[in-house]
Every structure is written in C-alpha cells, then in structure tokens.
Amino acid sequence: MSYRVPLDLGALRAESPFLADLGMTFLSLDDSGAVFELEIAERHSNAEGRMHGGVIASLLDAACGLPVRFIAPETDLVRAVTLTLSVSYIAAPKGPRVRATGRITGGGHRLVFSSGEVRDTDGSLIATATGSFKRLAPTAPGPTSKEPT
C-alpha cells in the first residue's frame, strides 16, 4: 500500500482546527500509515485525573482517517468522513505523551477500513480502534495538494 504525502503539512493541520486545539501533532504519513502525537496536558484529563477517553478516540479517528484521504491510486486530495469508529480502552497512559498510529486494512474505492492504536512513551498499549470511512468526491486542489511552483 502506498500513500501520497501532502506537500504542505502545515495546511493540513490548519484544515482541522479541532485537532490543533487539542494539541495533536502530525508526525508522518507513509507506507506504514499515519502517526500523530499528543503532549498530555491537564486539559486532556477526565474527573479522575486520567486522560479523557474522548481525547484518545479523537487521536484514533485522526490516525485511522488520514491515510484514507491519501491512498493510491487517487491523484486528487479527497475528503473522508468517519462512518464507524470502535475504540477499545486498555490502560491509562503513563508518561508525558502518547502516539497514535493508523493504517488502511481494506476496502474499496469509496468505503475504506482502517485500524489504529495509541501507545504511551513506555510503549504500553493504551487503546485500539477499527473504523470505516467513506471517501468523498475529490475537492478542488488546495493548500495541501498544490504542486510547488
């Protein structure tokens, strides 16, 4: 499986104010999938003082969904929407940050399946997810798909 990496990763982040507000950092998109990282802050905590499950689910949604937008043989930037996302919570993270990875596991041209996981800095598994995503019609070329001039 190969992915078409966006040329302007800053524009990709700007497309999703929600991810930026949470503090998620996009690290990579390659043949192994997408990787996001999050520095855990107090604002990410639930009432018990642990990382909120909604933040973990958002990380997994981003990591599982991003490869869907750039999967070959597409040449245009496509939008995708999450149809289902099933999250299994394993443990509370230890350490200052977590890393989410996602990859395509199957599907066709419009309906694509992916899976992901979140691990803490010790490498301990925090949560896993599987999801289905619908690829939408290509958009007009934008800042994340524009070829350099």
Side-chain angles (χ1 to χ4, degrees):
M1 179 119 356
S2 76
Y3 300 100
R4 186 172 53 85
V5 179
L7 298 171
D8 185 348
L9 301 180
L12 179 66
R13 182 180 169 140
E15 282 182 351
S16 182
F18 176 72
L19 298 183
D21 283 349
L22 280 178
M24 292 182 193
T25 303
F26 171 72
L27 296 181
S28 67
L29 179 64
D30 59 23
D31 285 347
S32 63
V35 181
F36 285 85
E37 197 167 75
L38 176 70
E39 194 78 27
I40 302 171
E42 184 177 345
R43 67 187 173 124
H44 300 126
S45 299
N46 61 19
E48 288 78 36
R50 295 186 175 113
M51 188 173 183
H52 194 284
V55 175
I56 294 170
S58 294
L59 267 168
L60 286 163
D61 187 43
C64 290
L66 182 60
V68 173
R69 296 183 62 192
F70 298 102
I71 189 170
E74 290 293 324
T75 56
D76 294 328
L77 178 66
V78 296
R79 300 285 179 201
V81 293
T82 306
L83 299 176
T84 65
L85 185 70
S86 178
V87 179
S88 296
Y89 299 95
I90 313 298
K94 297 178 181 122
R97 78 183 62 81
V98 291
R99 181 172 284 193
T101 58
R103 64 183 182 87
I104 301 296
T105 58
H109 181 70
R110 292 277 184 212
L111 183 61
V112 182
F113 304 101
S114 62
S115 66
E117 64 181 35
V118 173
R119 292 186 178 270
D120 65 15
T121 50
D122 295 335
S124 297
L125 185 62
I126 304 306
T128 61
T130 56
S132 60
F133 298 81
K134 182 178 180 181
R135 295 171 69 203
L136 305 176
T139 63
T144 57
S145 61
K146 186 170 66 174
E147 294 294 331
T149 54

